[in-house]
Amino acid sequence: MERESMPMDALFVGGGPACLAGAIHLMNLIEKHNEEAANNTDLDVIEEPMIGLIDKGSEIGSHALSGAVMDPRALSELIPDWKTRDDMPVERYVEEEEMVLLTEKQVFKGPMMPPGLADHGLPIISIGMFQKWLAEIAEEKGVMVFPGFAGVELLWNDDGSQVTGVRTGDKGVGPDGSHKANFEPGMDLESPVTILGEGPRGHLTRELIQKFNLDADSQPMVYEIGVKEVIELPKGSVKKGGVTLTMGYPLDFNTFGGAFVYSMGGDRMCIGLLVGLDAKDPALDAHYLLQKLKNHPYMRKKLAGGKVVKYGAKTVTVGGWASMPKMYAPGAMIVGDSASLLNPMRIKGIHLSMKSGMLAAETAFEAMKSGVATDEALSSFKQKIDDSWIREEMEPAKNFHSSFHNGLIGGMFKVGMQMVFGPGKDIKPFAPDHEHMQRASVYHGSEGLPANDDLKYDNSYLVDKLTSVYMSSTKHDEQQPCHLQIADREICATQCAEEYGNPCERFCPAQVYNMVLNEEVGRKEMQVDFSNCVHCKTCDIRDPYQIIKWVPPEGGDGPEYGFM
């Protein structure tokens, strides 16, 4: 097949904070270099640099989901005047905050915010709007931004030893792989340096890590599933920028996670729940638990008169420093959530992602000048990470995740001890998330999985799962290959049904997986409604048999989160 190719000097894959900050910083470095070269004949001017950035969403920010109270440390380095710019999309600044412990009916307020979690004065943002703003700045500086283009395959040199770019996905392909009338082949974006910032469980990142065994010396990537809603309140209800962080209900003390409520602009608030994907319970359903949280008397009072106007779900990396793989390979680097750059102790990662993108940009700039992007040449990226405040912040939390494997109470004690005496020299090992799920008979006994039918949905404040998917504005062309690949559906109908009760029906926050009766054979079989998929990748991570693989659908498809 003839494919159009486009040469680049550097290519960023992903429209998140890491790649956008990296692209902006790289253009700043080139601009500064050219100013110096104009007065120094020993330096060559970099003429018409071709710096590209692709993202699978229909526009930059459409697939973005986060809390988000942002630590502006990296932003202040990249755009020092951000706070005085009229176009910077800040919802509010944090003026009041609280930490609470919830039981089923009661609330216990903490006397203060735990160290590291205090957010007073920090900006509350919509991550989607923030990424759009960064994309506009990047384009103004000359970065070629291509939304709607999913990276589906890494390009390699002749002997397969070095990444040379990325192939974007074909468009107009039918469910059977045939070409429809509107077929368009993907492009080959060729670049000596490719920076991968695809977010958690990145498709190309996984290919790169497996090819070069980049995770050989790190712990497995581990995750939480985050489900979030934006709630519209009666006029005049929201007067200050507020943050509430919760522990406890609706989670039990053996399940890692917590919740947040943030004020947004106008009379909107957002509520979100984070649940560890290493949960033992095969009936784990984060969407259902979020509705239970909203039904708590404390939340009913806080969100009185509220109506859900937007919904989304996304996985979050929580392994931190312990899970960071080798972040470079010949011709490529890994940044942001794709490299586990989130501090699980602070529940913050935007600033770390941005800084990693900026350091990758500095490494790419050195490669552009030398014309060399070998493994050795890009190894300076790791040294830059180690010499920066990324290591200073993240390394002390390297054993945070492993501390909670025996429950909340013991985990809080261990973390407290680490804060006083340090995390110790060694990283405590842990297993991949899917290995922790217990069989239904072990966790729930002979009764099987619970029905989860104790809530009365009004689809205004308490919203069922399918209505929530509608509120995510998710769209896929159903006449395309299914992007959720199940290696063996016989396991779904037999072994998984018997051992785990088909947990994908629960843990998917978008009701993609449904066991439907096949009357011809007299049993339930798996039906994958991939058009509901919000691209959170929970299934790829939590499936106990690891037979589900998420691959990018046609570029531009998926959720439209907008102001989330």
Side-chain angles (χ1 to χ4, degrees):
M1 182 188 301
E2 287 253 351
R3 293 183 183 274
E4 185 179 348
S5 62
M6 179 181 293
M8 303 275 184
D9 293 304
L11 175 63
F12 293 84
V13 181
C19 284
L20 287 165
I24 292 169
H25 189 50
L26 181 54
M27 294 304 291
N28 287 342
L29 292 170
I30 293 171
E31 181 181 357
K32 183 179 178 180
H33 170 85
N34 285 345
E35 289 174 356
E36 294 175 355
N39 300 310
N40 186 341
T41 56
D42 292 333
L43 296 176
D44 294 326
V45 173
I46 301 175
E47 298 181 355
E48 299 182 0
M50 298 281 284
I51 310 301
L53 182 149
I54 63 172
D55 187 74
K56 64 183 176 65
S58 63
E59 58 181 35
I60 301 298
S62 64
H63 291 180
L65 188 71
S66 181
V69 177
M70 183 176 66
D71 182 335
R73 186 172 186 177
L75 178 61
S76 295
E77 293 180 10
L78 182 67
I79 305 172
D81 65 342
W82 67 268
K83 202 166 186 177
T84 59
R85 292 182 60 145
D86 293 335
D87 57 348
M88 167 63 185
V90 175
E91 298 285 320
R92 293 177 186 268
Y93 290 90
V94 178
E95 300 171 79
E96 51 189 22
E97 52 187 338
E98 62 180 358
M99 168 67 81
V100 302
L101 172 66
L102 299 178
T103 65
E104 188 170 358
K105 298 294 183 183
Q106 295 180 303
V107 56
F108 300 93
K109 295 188 179 182
M112 58 177 285
M113 294 296 286
L117 291 178
D119 292 329
H120 194 83
L122 297 184
I124 302 171
I125 65 168
S126 156
I127 188 66
M129 300 303 293
F130 179 65
Q131 289 177 196
K132 289 180 183 178
W133 178 69
L134 288 178
E136 290 170 359
I137 293 172
E139 288 184 305
E140 288 171 2
K141 291 183 173 294
V143 178
M144 295 177 290
V145 178
F146 300 108
F149 287 85
V152 299
E153 186 180 346
L154 293 173
L155 302 177
W156 301 90
N157 62 356
D158 290 341
D159 64 4
S161 63
Q162 183 160 328
V163 176
T164 59
V166 167
R167 175 168 293 168
T168 65
D170 298 339
K171 297 185 178 184
V173 178
D176 60 354
S178 62
H179 295 175
K180 298 188 289 188
N182 63 338
F183 174 76
E184 295 179 18
M187 293 180 60
D188 284 350
L189 302 176
E190 300 172 344
S191 175
V193 183
T194 299
I195 297 97
L196 301 177
E198 306 168 280
R201 202 76 159 192
H203 174 67
L204 299 179
T205 304
R206 172 158 51 186
E207 181 184 346
L208 186 72
I209 289 174
Q210 291 176 346
K211 168 85 172 180
F212 292 105
N213 200 23
L214 300 181
D215 57 354
D217 297 322
S218 61
Q219 296 303 308
M221 292 264 191
V222 288
Y223 306 85
E224 290 180 308
I225 172 64
V227 285
K228 176 185 171 182
E229 293 175 344
V230 176
I231 297 180
E232 182 109 10
L233 297 173
K235 189 174 181 179
S237 296
V238 184
K239 297 181 174 62
K240 289 185 176 181
V243 171
T244 297
L245 302 180
T246 81
M247 297 185 297
Y249 185 85
L251 304 178
D252 59 38
F253 284 165
N254 292 317
T255 303
F256 184 71
F260 61 83
V261 179
Y262 300 153
S263 304
M264 296 183 70
D267 289 299
R268 288 176 171 173
M269 298 184 77
C270 68
I271 182 169
L273 178 69
L274 294 162
V275 187
L277 291 182
D278 61 354
K280 297 176 181 178
D281 186 0
L284 175 76
D285 185 334
H287 175 274
Y288 165 72
L289 292 173
L290 177 62
Q291 306 311 308
K292 289 193 74 173
L293 173 65
K294 289 190 299 175
N295 212 31
H296 190 280
Y298 184 70
M299 291 301 174
R300 280 278 186 182
K301 182 178 179 181
K302 184 177 286 288
L303 303 173
K307 177 182 179 181
V308 179
V309 294
K310 204 71 176 174
Y311 168 80
K314 185 183 179 184
T315 47
V316 180
T317 58
V318 290
W321 189 260
S323 295
M324 287 172 57
K326 181 183 173 185
M327 297 169 64
Y328 61 93
M333 290 176 279
I334 308 172
V335 297
D337 275 350
S338 289
S340 191
L341 276 158
L342 179 139
N343 183 343
M345 190 176 289
R346 297 184 66 199
I347 326 172
K348 281 183 170 50
I350 295 172
H351 64 301
L352 296 162
S353 289
M354 292 180 68
K355 183 64 173 178
S356 72
M358 293 161 68
L359 296 177
E362 293 174 12
T363 309
F365 180 62
E366 293 166 359
M368 286 175 62
K369 291 190 295 181
S370 67
V372 179
T374 61
D375 192 71
E376 182 180 0
L378 299 185
S379 66
S380 63
F381 178 41
K382 178 60 165 66
Q383 190 61 52
K384 294 178 193 299
I385 293 285
D386 288 347
D387 292 342
S388 74
W389 49 259
I390 289 180
R391 181 171 189 168
E392 177 186 313
E393 176 175 333
M394 289 189 67
E395 192 171 26
K398 64 186 179 182
N399 287 322
F400 181 84
H401 179 75
S402 60
S403 297
F404 286 89
H405 277 174
N406 292 319
L408 177 64
I409 304 302
M412 291 175 65
F413 174 78
K414 290 179 182 178
V415 169
M417 295 296 286
Q418 290 170 26
M419 294 177 72
V420 174
F421 299 106
K425 181 179 179 181
D426 298 327
I427 290 176
K428 302 296 190 294
F430 46 83
D433 289 326
H434 71 274
E435 292 186 7
H436 293 268
M437 187 187 296
Q438 293 183 349
R439 295 187 180 189
S441 61
V442 174
Y443 197 89
H444 290 284
S446 59
E447 296 180 0
L449 302 189
N452 290 353
D453 58 358
D454 57 329
L455 294 175
K456 294 182 179 179
Y457 296 106
D458 58 12
N459 286 332
S460 176
Y461 181 74
L462 297 182
V463 184
D464 64 44
K465 197 174 284 189
L466 275 179
T467 304
S468 293
V469 174
Y470 174 77
M471 290 180 174
S472 72
S473 302
T474 295
K475 295 179 183 177
H476 292 86
D477 181 357
E478 296 188 14
Q479 295 304 308
Q480 65 174 296
C482 178
H483 67 279
L484 298 161
Q485 301 173 354
I486 302 180
D488 187 349
R489 297 199 184 200
E490 185 66 18
I491 290 178
C492 305
T494 55
Q495 188 177 354
C496 186
E498 178 181 347
E499 294 180 342
Y500 295 98
N502 298 118
C504 60
E505 291 187 293
R506 309 293 187 102
F507 64 59
C508 174
Q511 201 162 323
V512 169
Y513 301 96
N514 297 284
M515 295 300 292
V516 177
L517 178 63
N518 183 336
E519 295 182 354
E520 291 184 8
V521 297
R523 70 178 188 183
K524 288 186 175 181
E525 296 186 333
M526 178 57 69
Q527 175 178 296
V528 181
D529 297 318
F530 72 85
S531 59
N532 291 349
C533 178
V534 294
H535 300 195
C536 70
K537 305 174 188 174
T538 300
C539 55
D540 193 311
I541 298 163
R542 185 158 165 79
D543 165 39
Y545 302 98
Q546 291 294 281
I547 58 173
I548 301 175
K549 183 179 180 181
W550 186 97
V551 300
E554 188 168 293
D557 286 359
E560 296 290 341
Y561 286 145
F563 53 80
M564 288 289 277

